[in-house]
Amino acid sequence: MRLSNFYTKTRRSMAAQDSKNAYLLEKAGYISQVAAGVYAFLPLAVRSLQKIETIVREEMNALGGSEVIFSALQPKSTWEKSGRWEDKNFRQIVYLDPEADMTFGATHEEPMTIALKQSVQSYRDLPVILFQFQTKFRKELRAKSGLLRGREFRMKDLYSFHPDEESHHKFYEDAAKTYLKVFERLGLDAYRVKASGGVFTDEFSDEFQVICETGEDEILVNHKTKTGFNKEVEDKLKETDKKKLERVKAIEVGNIFPLGTKYSDAFDLKYLDASGDRQSVWMGSYGIGISRLLGTLAELFNDEHGLKLPSQVAPFEAVVINLTSSKTGEKIYSDLTEQGVEVLLDDRDEMAGTKLVDADLIGYPIRLVYSAKTAQDGKIEIKERGSGKVTLVNLEDVVGRVQKLLS
Ligand code: ATP
Ligand code: MG
C-alpha cells in the first residue's frame, strides 16, 4: 500500500480527551469522535479491528462455532417475552424506537433462542454454537473512556445450546481456555475473574480482565494462577483468602455466562431426548469487546511519541520512508510486499520530519528509513517501534531481517 492512496491524516495538536486511548487513536488518525461514546472507525482502525477479528474468528471456529450475522434491530416484544424488559437496569441501557417498537440490539440471547426454535427438535440437533461480530448499542451513562466504553461498539458474541448441564459445563470450560488463548495471541495478559451475572444470569459469570491503571474495574487477583474476583463479589470472600490477593485496576475484555435454562424456558426451546421426553436446552453466552480491545491495546502499548501496537494487531507491519531521490525505497517496498509483509510506502510529498513523527504516532512496528547517509554505505536503517532499537542493515538483507523481526 502507498500512503498517497490510503485515506488517513494524523493531527499535530489536539485538545485533551477523556481517555488516553481516544487521544492517541484520534491523534494518529485511527478514529474520529462523533459524540461521547460514539466513534467512526477510519482505515487504520478498520485494519486493526479486522486483525483482532481474524484472531477471534479463528479461535471461535476452532471451538466449533458457526458464524452468523443476526439483525441489530429487534422487536421490543422479544424482550418483554423473556422478562428482561421488566429489569430496570436492562431497560435503561436499551435504545428504543417507540414508533416502530423496535430496539437496537444490546445483546442477542433472546433472538438466538427464538431462532433455534425452528431448528432444534431432538437431541441429535444439539449442541448448537453460533457466533457473530456485530455493532451493539447500549445507553452507557458514563461514556468517558474512549473505545473502552462506547454507546455503540463492536462485539463478538457467541451463544451455545446443549442438551444438559454437564455438556454445557464442558463447553464453558473449553470456551474459557479459548478466551485465554485469544488474549494471549493479541499480546494481552488476561486474568480469569469471578464476577456477578449482571443483567444476564443470577449465577456467577467469568470475566477476562487485563490489568491496567486506567481500567474501570477493580479486581482482586492471584498473579500465579492468573485468576481472581471482581470487587463486586468480594463480600462473598473470606477475609483470610482476600488477604492473599492483590487489588488492581483492570479492563474487562471478555465475559462468559452460564445461562442455564433461563432463556430456553422463557421461549419454550425444548428438545426430545433419546427416550422421547421433552427436555430443556442448556445455554451459555460468551462476549468479547472487539473495539474495547483496540482501546485496551492503545492504553497499554504507547509512549510519549504515540502508539506501539504489537505487530499482529497494528494496521501495518512496516513502513518504508525514502529520503533520497533514488528508487531504492520503492524496490525495498515492492520486495517486502512480494514476500507478504504488510508494508506501507510513505510516498507523500511531506518533510522528512513529518514522516518520521507520523511513523511513531501511528506506530508501525518496523520503520525503514533510506537516507543519503545510509545510502553511502549501501545500508538502510531499521527501527523497531516496540523497543526503540535501531540497526543498519545491508540492502540485500532487509527482507530477511524484517521477516525475522516479525516472526
Ligand atoms: P461492563 O461491565 O464493562 O459494562 P458488560 O459486563 O456490561 O461490560 P457484557 O455484556 O459482558 O458487558 O459484554 C461483553 C463484552 O463486550 C465485555 O466483556 C466488553 O469487553 C465489551 N463491552 C461491553 N460493554 C461495552 C461498551 N459499552 N463499549 C465497549 N465494549 C463493551
Ligand atoms: Mg461483562
Side-chain angles (χ1 to χ4, degrees), residues 70-76 78-79 95 97 100-105 108 111 134-135 137:
F70 270 47
S71 64
L73 281 177
Q74 304 166 344
K76 180 180 154 214
T78 305
W79 306 95
Y95 286 99
D97 173 353
D101 248 9
M102 296 291 264
T103 66
F104 294 96
H108 276 77
Q134 238 212 14
T135 299
F137 303 86

Side-chain angles (χ1 to χ4, degrees), residues 24-242:
L24 286 168
L25 290 166
E26 185 139 9
K27 190 156 193 252
Y30 285 62
I31 59 173
S32 163
Q33 191 183 43
V34 177
V38 184
Y39 292 90
F41 297 112
L42 303 177
L44 288 171
V46 168
R47 288 182 69 97
S48 281
L49 290 171
Q50 282 171 346
K51 286 183 161 187
I52 295 170
E53 276 192 18
T54 298
I55 289 174
V56 175
R57 177 177 287 115
E58 282 171 9
E59 295 300 334
M60 294 307 119
N61 283 329
L63 193 58
S66 302
E67 190 167 348
V68 294
I69 304 178
F70 270 47
S71 64
L73 281 177
Q74 304 166 344
K76 180 180 154 214
S77 57
T78 305
W79 306 95
E80 289 169 336
K81 195 152 183 190
S82 70
R84 254 210 274 208
W85 201 253
E86 284 161 32
D87 182 340
K88 212 170 109 252
N89 291 331
F90 181 75
R91 199 168 55 237
Q92 263 171 7
I93 65 164
V94 177
Y95 286 99
L96 171 73
D97 173 353
E99 266 166 45
D101 248 9
M102 296 291 264
T103 66
F104 294 96
T107 182
H108 276 77
E109 282 78 9
E110 282 83 346
M112 293 271 173
T113 311
I114 293 169
L116 255 67
K117 278 176 71 74
Q118 312 292 326
S119 56
V120 171
Q121 269 102 42
S122 89
Y123 67 96
R124 283 185 226 94
D125 300 321
L126 294 169
V128 175
I129 296 144
L130 301 177
F131 72 97
Q132 62 178 348
F133 292 93
Q134 238 212 14
T135 299
K136 297 280 195 271
F137 303 86
R138 292 183 185 178
K139 271 188 212 161
E140 299 282 1
L141 296 176
R142 296 169 300 121
K144 289 185 173 164
S145 306
L147 296 190
L148 300 183
R149 188 165 296 285
R151 292 193 287 160
E152 175 180 328
F153 60 96
R154 301 284 300 166
M155 195 202 283
K156 182 287 301 178
D157 43 333
L158 182 147
Y159 304 86
S160 75
F161 301 83
H162 307 268
D164 50 43
E165 184 170 15
E166 195 191 336
S167 53
H168 171 257
H169 182 72
K170 187 184 171 304
F171 179 83
Y172 188 83
E173 287 305 313
D174 287 347
K177 273 192 213 118
T178 297
Y179 266 46
L180 290 173
K181 192 164 165 211
V182 164
F183 300 125
E184 192 189 322
R185 283 185 66 184
L186 293 169
L188 294 170
D189 193 13
Y191 285 65
R192 180 174 172 178
V193 168
K194 287 281 169 211
S196 85
V199 297
F200 296 92
T201 169
D202 299 330
E203 285 186 62
F204 275 109
S205 74
D206 287 87
E207 293 177 344
F208 295 82
Q209 297 269 3
V210 172
I211 295 176
C212 179
E213 200 41 55
T214 49
E216 288 182 12
D217 284 28
E218 199 174 306
I219 57 175
L220 292 89
V221 291
N222 177 333
H223 295 294
K224 249 199 203 125
T225 56
K226 292 283 163 73
T227 57
F229 300 86
N230 193 305
K231 181 177 173 259
E232 67 196 18
V233 297
E234 91 174 82
D235 55 344
K236 299 201 170 67
L237 297 175
K238 281 198 231 114
E239 279 305 318
T240 47
D241 292 337
K242 229 158 91 174

